[in-house]
mmCIF file of all heavy atoms in Angstrom:
data_model
loop_
_atom_site.group_PDB
_atom_site.id
_atom_site.type_symbol
_atom_site.label_atom_id
_atom_site.label_comp_id
_atom_site.label_asym_id
_atom_site.label_seq_id
_atom_site.Cartn_x
_atom_site.Cartn_y
_atom_site.Cartn_z
ATOM 1 N N ALA A 1 90.447 102.657 88.439
ATOM 2 C CA ALA A 1 89.509 103.550 87.790
ATOM 3 C C ALA A 1 88.082 103.395 88.342
ATOM 4 O O ALA A 1 87.307 104.351 88.319
ATOM 5 C CB ALA A 1 89.445 103.310 86.310
ATOM 6 N N THR A 2 87.760 102.236 88.967
ATOM 7 C CA THR A 2 86.480 102.037 89.526
ATOM 8 C C THR A 2 86.403 102.322 91.054
ATOM 9 O O THR A 2 85.400 102.690 91.625
ATOM 10 C CB THR A 2 85.931 100.649 89.258
ATOM 11 O OG1 THR A 2 86.930 99.641 89.669
ATOM 12 C CG2 THR A 2 85.671 100.481 87.794
ATOM 13 N N GLU A 3 87.579 102.072 91.718
ATOM 14 C CA GLU A 3 87.640 102.224 93.190
ATOM 15 C C GLU A 3 87.870 103.624 93.658
ATOM 16 O O GLU A 3 87.390 104.098 94.647
ATOM 17 C CB GLU A 3 88.610 101.242 93.831
ATOM 18 C CG GLU A 3 88.279 99.780 93.659
ATOM 19 C CD GLU A 3 87.069 99.382 94.570
ATOM 20 O OE1 GLU A 3 86.682 100.226 95.440
ATOM 21 O OE2 GLU A 3 86.550 98.307 94.381
ATOM 22 N N ILE A 4 88.740 104.310 92.920
ATOM 23 C CA ILE A 4 89.086 105.711 93.276
ATOM 24 C C ILE A 4 87.843 106.611 93.330
ATOM 25 O O ILE A 4 87.648 107.403 94.247
ATOM 26 C CB ILE A 4 90.166 106.300 92.345
ATOM 27 C CG1 ILE A 4 91.524 105.586 92.672
ATOM 28 C CG2 ILE A 4 90.319 107.775 92.526
ATOM 29 C CD1 ILE A 4 92.665 106.024 91.754
ATOM 30 N N PRO A 5 86.961 106.554 92.305
ATOM 31 C CA PRO A 5 85.743 107.389 92.447
ATOM 32 C C PRO A 5 84.871 107.067 93.666
ATOM 33 O O PRO A 5 84.200 107.943 94.203
ATOM 34 C CB PRO A 5 85.011 107.063 91.088
ATOM 35 C CG PRO A 5 86.021 106.654 90.147
ATOM 36 C CD PRO A 5 87.065 105.927 90.982
ATOM 37 N N VAL A 6 84.900 105.798 94.064
ATOM 38 C CA VAL A 6 84.140 105.457 95.295
ATOM 39 C C VAL A 6 84.746 106.203 96.473
ATOM 40 O O VAL A 6 83.991 106.738 97.373
ATOM 41 C CB VAL A 6 84.197 103.917 95.510
ATOM 42 C CG1 VAL A 6 83.616 103.588 96.828
ATOM 43 C CG2 VAL A 6 83.482 103.216 94.370
ATOM 44 N N GLY A 7 86.057 106.186 96.627
ATOM 45 C CA GLY A 7 86.721 106.929 97.683
ATOM 46 C C GLY A 7 86.374 108.407 97.670
ATOM 47 O O GLY A 7 86.104 108.998 98.737
ATOM 48 N N LEU A 8 86.409 109.022 96.493
ATOM 49 C CA LEU A 8 86.138 110.412 96.383
ATOM 50 C C LEU A 8 84.695 110.691 96.704
ATOM 51 O O LEU A 8 84.396 111.737 97.373
ATOM 52 C CB LEU A 8 86.425 110.880 94.924
ATOM 53 C CG LEU A 8 87.949 110.831 94.540
ATOM 54 C CD1 LEU A 8 88.053 111.273 93.084
ATOM 55 C CD2 LEU A 8 88.773 111.673 95.452
ATOM 56 N N SER A 9 83.793 109.776 96.335
ATOM 57 C CA SER A 9 82.362 109.990 96.672
ATOM 58 C C SER A 9 82.101 109.842 98.173
ATOM 59 O O SER A 9 81.280 110.615 98.726
ATOM 60 C CB SER A 9 81.537 108.949 95.906
ATOM 61 O OG SER A 9 81.662 109.078 94.484
ATOM 62 N N VAL A 10 82.845 109.004 98.857
ATOM 63 C CA VAL A 10 82.706 108.887 100.302
ATOM 64 C C VAL A 10 83.187 110.154 100.941
ATOM 65 O O VAL A 10 82.554 110.699 101.898
ATOM 66 C CB VAL A 10 83.460 107.631 100.810
ATOM 67 C CG1 VAL A 10 83.507 107.648 102.342
ATOM 68 C CG2 VAL A 10 82.834 106.373 100.304
ATOM 69 N N VAL A 11 84.336 110.648 100.491
ATOM 70 C CA VAL A 11 84.885 111.916 101.043
ATOM 71 C C VAL A 11 83.867 113.088 100.835
ATOM 72 O O VAL A 11 83.715 113.924 101.750
ATOM 73 C CB VAL A 11 86.219 112.283 100.441
ATOM 74 C CG1 VAL A 11 86.738 113.643 100.862
ATOM 75 C CG2 VAL A 11 87.247 111.168 100.831
ATOM 76 N N ALA A 12 83.250 113.071 99.717
ATOM 77 C CA ALA A 12 82.307 114.198 99.415
ATOM 78 C C ALA A 12 80.971 113.980 100.086
ATOM 79 O O ALA A 12 80.147 114.919 100.053
ATOM 80 C CB ALA A 12 82.101 114.283 97.878
ATOM 81 N N GLY A 13 80.769 112.805 100.705
ATOM 82 C CA GLY A 13 79.521 112.606 101.409
ATOM 83 C C GLY A 13 78.374 112.042 100.534
ATOM 84 O O GLY A 13 77.250 111.922 101.039
ATOM 85 N N HIS A 14 78.719 111.589 99.357
ATOM 86 C CA HIS A 14 77.670 111.021 98.465
ATOM 87 C C HIS A 14 77.511 109.546 98.703
ATOM 88 O O HIS A 14 76.420 109.041 98.281
ATOM 89 C CB HIS A 14 78.044 111.297 97.000
ATOM 90 C CG HIS A 14 78.173 112.724 96.632
ATOM 91 N ND1 HIS A 14 77.138 113.627 96.750
ATOM 92 C CD2 HIS A 14 79.223 113.437 96.143
ATOM 93 C CE1 HIS A 14 77.520 114.816 96.318
ATOM 94 N NE2 HIS A 14 78.800 114.761 95.994
ATOM 95 N N LEU A 15 78.414 108.875 99.355
ATOM 96 C CA LEU A 15 78.330 107.451 99.610
ATOM 97 C C LEU A 15 78.601 107.221 101.119
ATOM 98 O O LEU A 15 79.426 107.966 101.631
ATOM 99 C CB LEU A 15 79.278 106.655 98.721
ATOM 100 C CG LEU A 15 78.933 106.520 97.234
ATOM 101 C CD1 LEU A 15 80.034 105.749 96.499
ATOM 102 C CD2 LEU A 15 77.560 105.848 97.029
ATOM 103 N N PRO A 16 78.026 106.201 101.701
ATOM 104 C CA PRO A 16 78.345 105.924 103.121
ATOM 105 C C PRO A 16 79.783 105.325 103.260
ATOM 106 O O PRO A 16 80.362 104.852 102.262
ATOM 107 C CB PRO A 16 77.280 104.920 103.479
ATOM 108 C CG PRO A 16 76.891 104.271 102.257
ATOM 109 C CD PRO A 16 76.988 105.303 101.155
ATOM 110 N N GLU A 17 80.279 105.328 104.489
ATOM 111 C CA GLU A 17 81.617 104.806 104.714
ATOM 112 C C GLU A 17 81.709 103.341 104.519
ATOM 113 O O GLU A 17 82.780 102.771 104.293
ATOM 114 C CB GLU A 17 82.080 105.182 106.162
ATOM 115 C CG GLU A 17 82.348 106.619 106.337
ATOM 116 C CD GLU A 17 82.996 106.884 107.680
ATOM 117 O OE1 GLU A 17 83.323 105.916 108.383
ATOM 118 O OE2 GLU A 17 83.261 108.077 108.026
ATOM 119 N N SER A 18 80.604 102.654 104.549
ATOM 120 C CA SER A 18 80.592 101.188 104.315
ATOM 121 C C SER A 18 81.035 100.816 102.903
ATOM 122 O O SER A 18 81.499 99.677 102.647
ATOM 123 C CB SER A 18 79.248 100.581 104.566
ATOM 124 O OG SER A 18 78.266 101.227 103.714
ATOM 125 N N SER A 19 80.984 101.798 101.964
ATOM 126 C CA SER A 19 81.380 101.590 100.587
ATOM 127 C C SER A 19 82.935 101.367 100.500
ATOM 128 O O SER A 19 83.381 100.883 99.472
ATOM 129 C CB SER A 19 80.973 102.719 99.686
ATOM 130 O OG SER A 19 79.527 102.846 99.726
ATOM 131 N N LEU A 20 83.636 101.820 101.559
ATOM 132 C CA LEU A 20 85.095 101.654 101.543
ATOM 133 C C LEU A 20 85.524 100.210 101.801
ATOM 134 O O LEU A 20 86.692 99.928 101.571
ATOM 135 C CB LEU A 20 85.727 102.561 102.585
ATOM 136 C CG LEU A 20 85.452 104.074 102.475
ATOM 137 C CD1 LEU A 20 86.040 104.802 103.637
ATOM 138 C CD2 LEU A 20 86.009 104.597 101.166
ATOM 139 N N HIS A 21 84.622 99.355 102.244
ATOM 140 C CA HIS A 21 84.961 98.019 102.606
ATOM 141 C C HIS A 21 84.193 96.944 101.824
ATOM 142 O O HIS A 21 83.919 95.857 102.326
ATOM 143 C CB HIS A 21 84.683 97.819 104.110
ATOM 144 C CG HIS A 21 85.437 98.796 104.996
ATOM 145 N ND1 HIS A 21 86.744 98.655 105.331
ATOM 146 C CD2 HIS A 21 84.962 99.934 105.554
ATOM 147 C CE1 HIS A 21 87.074 99.691 106.078
ATOM 148 N NE2 HIS A 21 86.053 100.469 106.254
ATOM 149 N N ARG A 22 83.854 97.250 100.582
ATOM 150 C CA ARG A 22 83.108 96.236 99.759
ATOM 151 C C ARG A 22 84.062 95.125 99.332
ATOM 152 O O ARG A 22 85.273 95.384 99.126
ATOM 153 C CB ARG A 22 82.483 96.929 98.556
ATOM 154 C CG ARG A 22 83.486 97.579 97.628
ATOM 155 C CD ARG A 22 82.779 98.293 96.483
ATOM 156 N NE ARG A 22 82.061 97.334 95.615
ATOM 157 C CZ ARG A 22 82.594 96.644 94.661
ATOM 158 N NH1 ARG A 22 83.843 96.790 94.344
ATOM 159 N NH2 ARG A 22 81.831 95.852 93.959
ATOM 160 N N LEU A 23 83.553 93.933 99.185
ATOM 161 C CA LEU A 23 84.428 92.767 98.724
ATOM 162 C C LEU A 23 84.596 92.867 97.226
ATOM 163 O O LEU A 23 83.647 92.911 96.427
ATOM 164 C CB LEU A 23 83.716 91.505 99.114
ATOM 165 C CG LEU A 23 84.564 90.220 99.076
ATOM 166 C CD1 LEU A 23 85.729 90.343 99.995
ATOM 167 C CD2 LEU A 23 83.666 88.991 99.357
ATOM 168 N N ASP A 24 85.854 92.923 96.819
ATOM 169 C CA ASP A 24 86.196 93.033 95.434
ATOM 170 C C ASP A 24 87.416 92.209 95.131
ATOM 171 O O ASP A 24 88.580 92.527 95.576
ATOM 172 C CB ASP A 24 86.460 94.539 95.089
ATOM 173 C CG ASP A 24 86.621 94.727 93.609
ATOM 174 O OD1 ASP A 24 86.337 93.824 92.781
ATOM 175 O OD2 ASP A 24 87.133 95.841 93.200
#
Protein backbone atom coordinates (compact mmCIF):
# COMPACT_ATOMS: atom_id res chain seq x y z
CA ALA A 1 0.00 0.00 0.00
CA THR A 2 2.95 2.36 0.47
CA GLU A 3 5.20 1.24 -2.38
CA ILE A 4 2.65 0.95 -5.19
CA PRO A 5 1.75 4.67 -5.03
CA VAL A 6 5.46 5.46 -5.34
CA GLY A 7 5.68 3.47 -8.56
CA LEU A 8 2.57 5.16 -9.95
CA SER A 9 3.95 8.57 -9.04
CA VAL A 10 7.21 7.81 -10.86
CA VAL A 11 5.29 6.70 -13.96
CA ALA A 12 3.22 9.89 -13.83
CA GLY A 13 6.37 11.98 -13.51
CA HIS A 14 5.69 13.31 -10.02
CA LEU A 15 8.70 11.54 -8.46
CA PRO A 16 12.21 10.89 -9.81
CA GLU A 17 13.30 7.41 -10.84
CA SER A 18 15.61 7.22 -7.83
CA SER A 19 12.47 6.69 -5.72
CA LEU A 20 12.22 3.20 -7.22
CA HIS A 21 15.39 2.13 -5.40
CA ARG A 22 14.90 3.38 -1.84
CA LEU A 23 16.07 1.12 0.99
CA ASP A 24 13.06 -0.42 2.73
